[in-house]
Amino acid sequence: MDTIASPATLDTLAQRRRYYERIKALNLTPLWEELHALVPREPASPCVPALWRYADIKPHLMESAELITAQEAVRRVLILENPGMPGRSCITQSLYAGLQLIMPGEVAPSHRHVQSALRFIVDGKGAYTTVGGERTTMFPGDFIITPSWAWHDHGNEGLHGDSEPVVWLDGLDIPLVRFFDAGFAENDAAASQSVARPEGHSHARFGHNMVPVRHTHTSPTSPIFSYPYARSREALAALQKAEAPDEWLGWKLRYVNPLTGGAPMPTMATCLQLLPKSFKGKSHRATDGAVYSVVEGRGTAEIAGQRFAFQPQDTFVVPSWAGLRLEADDETVLFSFSDRPVQDAIGIHREQFLDN
Ligand code: 1HN
């Protein structure tokens, strides 16, 4: 049974304030004034639901190419900043997201950092990224990884003599690394790394449900660094033919590290999901706030009761513990990422599938 504390008198409140002033000089502060905010009954995130329409962003992104080169910018990116946390360069408390543009003929110079990155290709084809000496060509819908501390540079030489601007969604664990004050970075001697292995080498070794017998894995990141859309989309299409969609998620697959079955990166989980035409999903919520990129189709994401109409190439964010209900007008494909592997590792992840 709760004991009801009697309310403090004005006199006592004034005495307490003077006491707080005195102990402040000793770098002390009373827990009892902060307890409710420090240990909320349920997540109370400053992160708010938001959607970035690609049609609105694209002209500004293209204009940035007239103002600065990829070389000078190092990475020419417009950060998707959560409107509930202005000035903090993050889309959720733990994740960073941005849209990066690389024009034909440009190079984003080689560097490496502790932060892990994912790329999800949104617009244009034929750019490449080189990760640890292996190059991969980018196509819309491809999910590509840059592991922590791996050298990486990007370029855009086009495809068959034909090149176009290429835009991708970057997802990084920047706020997590910042939280730990564990960030290191360095620039490479050359703008572009020399390529050490043929394109497709990692796929041959690890991408066919087989692994070289004498491979011992030491990295927490997947040895597959490119998950092409064509293959992921084909898997969803086969499921659609064979089984009923989940009432909350449609057909939703998570990308895996083939060596562990776990998430492809230690800090970020990624998924691809298919919603049938006219899907009206039930509501679910989870402690891992997530960033979604729309690949195909139109629909509505109802996030914490707010409705956001989406179309291909849009990005939206679902805060931690916000209810999400997905509706699809057309057949829809969504890519998403979150910090779930970190929450699982420390045993705090929770989710609820609601009956409405
Ligand atoms: C970075 O290295 C990339 O390699 C993209 O493409 C975005 C944001 C902050 C810090 C490093 C990239 C980044 C980044």
Side-chain angles (χ1 to χ4, degrees), residues 82-318:
N82 192 284
M85 297 177 283
R88 288 179 44 194
S89 301
C90 58
I91 190 156
T92 69
Q93 291 263 55
S94 59
L95 299 171
Y96 158 103
L99 287 172
Q100 179 161 175
L101 167 65
I102 189 149
M103 297 296 284
E106 287 192 320
V107 167
S110 179
H111 69 186
R112 62 178 177 176
H113 39 70
V114 156
Q115 291 82 0
S116 295
L118 66 84
R119 330 277 169 200
F120 187 73
I121 318 311
V122 166
D123 197 9
K125 57 182 180 309
Y128 67 83
T129 181
T130 308
V131 178
E134 189 174 328
R135 192 176 270 203
T136 191
T137 306
M138 297 172 163
F139 296 91
D142 290 357
F143 156 53
I144 296 170
I145 293 173
T146 308
S148 175
W149 209 239
W151 293 109
H152 55 287
D153 56 270
H154 320 302
N156 186 353
E157 292 169 351
L159 223 49
H160 320 300
D162 190 23
S163 52
E164 44 193 63
V166 173
V167 176
W168 63 81
L169 175 69
D170 282 316
L172 287 92
D173 54 9
I174 289 173
L176 277 169
V177 175
R178 181 167 59 194
F179 176 79
F180 291 116
D181 282 334
F184 293 87
E186 59 187 38
N187 292 323
D188 209 345
S192 300
Q193 312 167 53
S194 41
V195 170
R197 297 177 297 282
E199 183 156 357
H201 184 73
S202 299
H203 241 285
R205 301 188 92 207
F206 303 101
H208 299 276
N209 299 321
M210 301 176 90
V211 175
V213 171
R214 301 197 62 197
H215 176 79
T216 43
H217 85 270
T218 48
S219 167
T221 304
S222 171
I224 296 292
F225 72 106
S226 174
Y227 296 75
Y229 187 62
R231 297 176 64 156
S232 314
R233 183 66 181 86
E234 191 182 349
L236 289 174
L239 291 186
Q240 182 179 26
K241 287 205 184 99
E243 58 186 61
D246 180 88
E247 288 178 282
W248 290 268
L249 307 173
W251 296 276
K252 186 169 184 175
L253 293 173
R254 61 183 177 89
Y255 294 88
V256 297
N257 174 345
L259 299 180
T260 63
M265 283 165 288
T267 49
M268 292 183 280
T270 47
C271 290
L272 194 70
Q273 79 194 97
L274 173 64
L275 309 176
K277 183 177 165 64
S278 306
F279 182 72
K280 280 207 182 314
K282 293 181 173 180
S283 178
H284 65 286
R285 59 182 180 173
T287 50
D288 54 327
V291 180
Y292 286 76
S293 181
V294 182
V295 195
E296 299 176 28
R298 276 155 217 274
T300 303
E302 189 188 297
I303 313 168
Q306 257 177 281
R307 292 176 66 82
F308 296 88
F310 62 73
Q311 54 180 292
Q313 302 171 305
D314 291 351
T315 311
F316 61 88
V317 59
V318 180

